[in-house]
Every structure is written in structure tokens, then in C-alpha cells.
Amino acid sequence: MSLIRALSKELEARSDNSLRALFAARPDLISPMAPDFAALAARASARVSVQRALERLTKPEMQVLETLHLCTNADTGHSISAAGLKKVIAGSTLSALEPILAKLQELALIHRADPPAATSPPAGSRQRFYLPVGSLKDVIGIYPAGLGRSYTELVRLQPAFAQRVVQLVGELHHHGLGVQPASTPMDAALSLQRWTSSPENLRAILATAPERTIGLLDKFGSWAMGAVPQAQRRASITHESADVGPIDWLLARGLLVPLDAGHVELPHSVGLALRGGAIVDDFSLTPPVPELGHTSAALRRNAAMGAIAETLRLTSEVLFSVREQPLATLRSGGVGVRELRRLAESIRCGVHETAILLEFCALAGLLRLDVDSSTWVQPPSLEWLTLPRQEQWLWLVNAWLASERAPSLVGQPLTGASAASAAHQGAAGTTINALSAEAQRPDAPVVRRRILEILNELTVEAAAPDGKAPVLDARAVLQRAEWTQPRMSRRFSSLVRGILEEATMLGLMGSGAFTQLGSAIAVGQPDEAMTILGEHLPAAVNHILLQADLTAVAPGYLAPELSETLLLMADAEGQGPASIYRFSAESIRRALDAGQDAESLLAFLREHSATDVPQPLAYLVQDTASRHGRLRIGSSASFIQSDDETAITDLLHEARTSALSLVRIAPTVLTSSASPRETARVLRELGLSPAVQEAEPAVVRFKRTTAVAGSARPVYTAPRTAPPDDDVEAQLSILRQHRGVPADGTGEASTQLGLETLQKAIRLKQAVTMNVVDSLGNANTETVVPVSVSGGRVRVFDPGKETERVLSIHRIIDVEPAGDRHQ
């Protein structure tokens, strides 16, 4: 029977609670709603859906599923039970395997099947036999459980090996190694398979192997393919020297099969024999426990609080620096290295740390891209600057958790298509730029959340009663991630180190240990994190110490408003909380340009200084202010001149000219921020007849920019893993209406059922009967032998015409095995 039809019947027989559990674990099955059980089974068997489901399985669950895949054959109906799996999974028991099989069945990754024809369970036996969904082979790949392909598959798929295998078997037989001679490549492959089929035979073969051979084979313990220079060299046992190396020795005996010039594969029977005849030799229901160091809870807390205070201080400085000088973007997007270094120098911080801070500001909405000027700017009326430090921290953490960007990727080499595109365009940079599209990772929120959960799990498991905290690193996190979600281990490995670095800057890690703040965030309790932060984060300092050498010392982390004003009138030096701010004529002039005057500057210093304002500093402020503004520079796009002073005065007070931003610079002259053409248009609307003296200069073109609203405060919600209850109940209602409807291949499931029939016919080299529609809409029934199917097309062989042709799958109405139209 078709696997999809079998799964459809099993799903239809389930209870509503069982279906609810299925939809909670695999929400993509009901997005959109499935019209019937046949469509639901087809979706559950689809490659993309199965791949998503496998990403949530633990290592022992994946081991059982891969072993079941290797031990079954849907084409011949060869199913397997927990008792059969126990024989090939070392260290397993029925009590361990049966719950795993039940979960895999609940997830619709496997389904119940009849026992194999050659197996007759005892009467009254409660053994359950299973088959996997049809797309599992494509999802798992060519090396399930890390084992290679069989000799017969390698002969069929590797032409170079097929040409050599008969001679190879002949040489082995000639040297008395117990290999039966063969005349065809397939017979030779079967001979090699029998020769290496048991651990005892393989031990006897390896007894005369050179040194380091066993060590070399151990490297294939978890993966069947390896990189070997000159893998296709024609090693021969006949011309073998006494000092032959282990690679040549294995190649000469067919224990390694060359795939191309640089790769070899360990055949299935050899890998199985090396594992003692078991497909899985490291089965365990408990995750590995990493060896961890410890640090004191006080050191962890102090490090985390220091990191939070420093991150908030530097974030404020980044915003101030960008407000003073926006960050220009590259033509390819992002902020270039030169701009990043300039920003790093202004905040006195490392380039890499500056890049992460810049990413934090952007993903939190504290900086935005102005599309008119192609620069990153600070939005006006930014709420973040006025919040208490606890709320500033939570703002950054929430934005970080929800962001689809990986800030720590900045500076890493470009890979894949991005690197190829940069090379094609002749771009000089080969690394990821800050705020560029290459740092985008759609799966970052899921991976980030899972890493925090793993950190919390490891911290709880290794908690010491004496106040010690376990020190966690990327190795410990990856070890646990590879056990809990082995199919996602590559994603974890590419992001985990950066996530730990970012978590350290945000205080979720401290002195290498997961903090109480991190635990509260990991379990979704931000209010508790705010409480902890309020208890332990040092209060912001609201005063400075002025000194006679024209400097001010900050005795701690300054309040944001104090730091912002001080940075406007002085230049910061050094790093850390106890920064030094140096006053100079240039820095005072900067404050005066921003609209301050001498009296307001001195009043600010008297209010916030714990000491009197030194006389040299007071003189510097007063002297600089006295010389400031004698010459004034402004911008103007056009001017209005008239001999009638009264007319000029009327224009200046006319409400309808407010958009021109008129400024009187002489009794008979006004300047306007608008272009000459725009200015003339407004004046004509007032009933005047202005004369435009010259064409509008391109250099004074006026561009009106739309004000950007202040950023909204981010509120993090964990990625949803289950569909809404209303959607589940609606789906159940639809399915109840279609109970008892046969899965006859109509509707949504028809395409999947047809592909399943074609793929089975290709594997078995059997004919099928197709109902095909031609370009004129005429339906014709044909009996053909399918050869391959890909890209929406199927290549078939027509026995009657002895020709091959290609058909579009969308023109095939129905397909069934030839001679069995009821299968």
C-alpha cells in the first residue's frame, strides 16, 4: 500500500487529543488548513515538513529513526519492531526504545505496518512493526547513522570504482584473502560485501595492516566520507611495497572506495563491522555531562553588573557620536571599516566591540537609516535616553532576543554567495560589514533562545551548594546542543561563540558563568530580572570632580543626561567608569555652537561639580564665549531683495511664508531655505510678481526630509512553537467532516501520491500507467517506465516506441502501477 495512504488511515483513526499533540509539535501541517486526512498525510510526508520535525528530535530519537530507516524497505514491505531495533542498537532496551517509537509515531514520522512476510510473530505477541514516511531517505541524506553506502550502491553510482572492482576482487582472491572471484561489477561488489560482513572477518583482515591503520579507521567512526589527497591513485596489492601506508593499504583491499581526486568513502559493511555489527554503538538516554570549572557567585555578579554599566555607557556615547556626525553607508550597504574606526576612536573602544554596540543600537531602534542622506542617524525624541538604566538594559535585551541579526558576525569572512558576489564586483572588502545584510540570520532568535535555555539547564544541573557558579563555554553548550538537537548542530556551531560574547556584554553571562539575570530571561521572567538589576546595579553618579588642569573626573558611571551634556562641552579620555573629560577652547566652542552660552555652561558645572569651578576653567568658558559669534555662517538656498522695506517687513510676518523659513539679514534683504523656484511660487500665490534672476543652482537644491518618529520600546515574545487553539479546533472540525473519505489521490494529496508512485517505480524499475493531458487538452492513457523525476519533470521510457521523452508533471492527471490499478 502507498505510504501516504497508510499514514492517512492511521491519522484518521487517531483521537482528537492525539491530533492536537501532532499539530502542537508540527504546526506547519495546518498552515493553511488541510482539507482532509489525505492532504494532512501528504503534508506530513513532505520533505520540508519532515526536515523541520527532525530538527526538534534529540540524539537518541534520531539514532532510533535512522536505524529504523536502515532496517526497513517500504518497496518490499519489510518493517521492523522494537525487538528488531534492539539487536542493532548497542546498549538499548525495549523499555527505552518503545517510548521513542511511540513519540516518532505521534509525530507522524513513522506509522504502523504489517510484519515482514518472512516474520511470523508468536500468537498473542504485542510487537508493533513500523515503516518510516517516504521522504525520510531524502531528508536524512546518503549517510544515515554516519554509515556509508553499500558496495552495490557504490558500483552503481561510481563509474570509476565499477571499472576497477572486478580486477580488485581478482587480485584479492589471487593472494588468498578469501574473496570469491567475480566476472561482473555487481557480483564483485557482493563478493566484497560478504568478505567484510562480520566483525570477525574484518579483524582478521586488519591483523596484517600497517601501523596507524586502526587509528585512521577510527576517524570514520561518525562519518563515512573523508578527505584524502590523491584518493583515486590506483593502489594495487600486487605491487605493494613493504613500507606501504595505511591509506594505500586500505585502498588496495577495497576497504576504502575513492569518490574523486580528494575524497574516499568507507563502505557500509566495513563501517558496520568496525562498530561490532551494531548500527548505533553509543546509544544513551541521558545527555553527556561536560567537565566545568567554577567561579564565585560574587565574582559572577560583579562582572555582569560592570558589563551592563559599561554597555549602557558606551551605547550612550555611540548615540552622542552619531548625533554629532552621522555614519555614512557604503554603496553595497552597511558601515565601512573607516567609519567604524572613526566611531571606535570617538568612544575609545575596540573596533569589534564598537561594531557589536552599533548593531545593538540599530536592532533596538536607537539608530535608523536616513534614506535621503544614506546615513545612520539617531531618531529625534528618543525615549531610551530618558529611561532609568534598568529599563534601558531591558530595552536592549528584548531587541537582541527578537532580532534576526547576529552582531558578532561583523568582521568575519564572507562565505558562499556573498563572497562570490563581492569577488565578482571586485570589492576590496572580504569581511562582513556592520549593519550590512550579510549579518542577517533568520534563525537567530530561535538559536539564541535555545542557547540561553541550554545555559540555564547546565547551570541548574551543575549548581554547587557552596555558592559556586559553573563556568560555561562554547564547547559545553555545543556538546549539549548536539545531544538535544543534533540536526541543528551546524547552526549552533556558527553562532554560539558570538551569542555568548553578546550575552556577556548584556550581563547575561558574568566571569564565564550564566547569571541570575540570564536565568530570569531564559525562563521568560523579565520582571524578576529587573528586580535583580535594581538591587545590584550601582546607581548612576550625578556629579563630577573639576580640577585646575582643565579636566573633570567622573567617579563612576554618569547619569545619561549628565554624560550627554558633558560630552558636548568636553572631550572624553580613557576607558571605563572613571573617565576623564578635558575642556578646551574647541570643546567649549562646540557647546556654544549647540546653543549654549557662558552663563548656562558655568551654571551646569556649578550644579554638578562636587568641587568649586576652578578659575582657569571659568576664564576659558568666558573668554571663548566672548569671542564666539562675531562672525556668523548660515545656509540659504535663495534670497529676496526689494527696495520697499515695508514690503519686506510684511513678507517676514506673513503666515503663508512660514514654509520658506525667511530670515532678515538687511533692511531690504531676506534669505529663504527654499529654492528660488519654490520661493517664487509662494510669492506668486500671495499676488506678487517676483523676478527670478538666475537658474536654480544645483549646489543649493533644497531637499525636505520627513521627520522620523521616535522608536517604539521593543517587547520580546518568544518564538511561537504551537498554533493558536482556535486554529487547531477549526482544523479538527474540518477533518471530522471528512472522516471516512478514502484517500483516492484527488485534491491536494494527488501530486504527492503521484510522485510517490513514480519514485517507487523508478527504484523497482517497473512500468506505470499514466493518464496524460496533451497541449490540446486531450487525455491519453499510456504505459511507460519512469527513469527519473526532478524539477517538475519526469523522464520516461516508452517500451512500445522504444524511445525516451520528458513529461511535465502538471500534465499527468493520474499515475498507477501497471497491472495493479487498485494498489
Side-chain angles (χ1 to χ4, degrees), residues 799-816:
K801 299 178 182 179
E802 295 187 350
T803 58
E804 282 190 2
R805 55 198 178 99
V806 176
L807 300 173
S808 296
I809 290 179
H810 72 273
R811 291 189 179 276
I812 302 174
I813 299 177
D814 187 26
V815 55
E816 296 177 352

Side-chain angles (χ1 to χ4, degrees), residues 318 335-359 407-408 410-411 431-434 501 505 575:
V318 167
V335 175
V337 175
R338 183 178 300 176
E339 282 285 270
L340 192 60
R341 286 176 178 167
R342 178 185 63 77
L343 180 62
E345 290 176 2
S346 69
I347 66 172
R348 306 164 315 286
C349 190
V351 174
H352 180 65
E353 187 178 359
T354 301
I356 297 178
L357 290 168
L358 190 58
E359 289 277 346
S408 294
V410 175
T431 58
I432 297 175
N433 290 317
E501 181 182 8
M505 292 178 65
Q575 296 180 345

Side-chain angles (χ1 to χ4, degrees), residues 4-27:
I4 294 178
R5 288 190 174 98
L7 181 58
S8 175
K9 289 185 176 182
E10 182 172 294
L11 292 175
E12 187 174 357
R14 291 192 181 191
S15 65
D16 286 354
N17 286 337
S18 177
L19 290 173
R20 288 189 184 97
L22 172 63
F23 300 151
R26 300 179 64 179

Side-chain angles (χ1 to χ4, degrees), residues 23-282:
F23 300 151
R26 300 179 64 179
D28 58 295
L29 297 184
I30 60 172
S31 180
M33 299 288 178
D36 49 43
F37 281 102
L40 184 63
R43 291 183 188 181
S45 302
R47 178 173 181 170
V48 174
S49 181
V50 171
Q51 187 169 346
R52 290 174 180 169
L54 263 56
E55 289 177 351
R56 302 183 181 95
L57 298 184
T58 64
K59 183 178 179 179
E61 291 166 352
M62 276 301 305
Q63 288 174 330
V64 171
L65 186 60
E66 291 180 336
T67 304
L68 186 143
H69 161 63
L70 286 171
C71 295
T72 57
N73 189 327
D75 297 336
T76 61
H78 184 80
S79 57
I80 196 169
S81 65
L85 291 173
K86 179 178 176 295
K87 297 176 182 177
V88 290
I89 300 180
S92 65
T93 61
L94 292 179
S95 60
L97 294 175
E98 287 175 349
I100 293 178
L101 290 170
K103 179 180 178 180
L104 296 176
Q105 183 183 8
E106 182 179 278
L107 293 173
L109 296 172
I110 64 175
H111 57 83
R112 294 283 299 276
D114 296 328
T119 303
S120 53
S125 172
R126 298 180 59 186
Q127 287 192 60
R128 297 181 177 89
F129 289 81
Y130 301 92
L131 282 174
V133 294
S135 62
L136 185 63
K137 180 179 181 180
D138 296 332
V139 176
I140 288 180
I142 61 175
Y143 299 134
L147 291 172
R149 293 167 288 184
S150 65
Y151 279 107
T152 54
E153 281 187 278
L154 290 169
V155 162
R156 183 167 54 87
L157 300 174
Q158 296 293 129
F161 180 62
Q163 293 174 4
R164 176 174 174 264
V165 67
V166 174
Q167 178 187 352
L168 172 64
V169 167
E171 291 177 356
L172 295 175
H173 175 73
H174 178 71
H175 284 76
L177 294 181
V179 182
Q180 296 298 318
S183 57
T184 66
M186 194 59 66
D187 289 341
L190 292 172
S191 184
L192 287 174
Q193 208 156 288
R194 288 190 293 269
W195 183 51
T196 58
S197 60
S198 69
E200 295 78 12
N201 287 353
L202 188 62
R203 280 196 294 269
I205 296 169
L206 296 176
T208 59
E211 294 183 6
R212 306 190 311 277
T213 302
I214 302 299
L216 176 67
L217 290 174
D218 288 342
K219 296 181 180 179
F220 291 90
S222 59
W223 197 245
M225 187 179 71
V228 173
Q230 301 178 359
Q232 286 183 329
R233 52 187 162 187
R234 299 183 62 84
S236 173
I237 191 173
T238 303
H239 303 95
E240 198 170 77
S241 61
D243 59 345
V244 65
I247 295 176
D248 287 335
W249 191 91
L250 292 168
L251 287 170
R253 285 155 182 78
L255 302 180
L256 285 179
V257 174
L259 301 178
D260 53 37
H263 297 87
V264 295
E265 182 173 326
L266 189 75
H268 179 91
S269 58
V270 180
L272 198 60
L274 286 172
R275 298 184 184 185
I279 294 176
V280 175
D281 59 355
D282 60 345

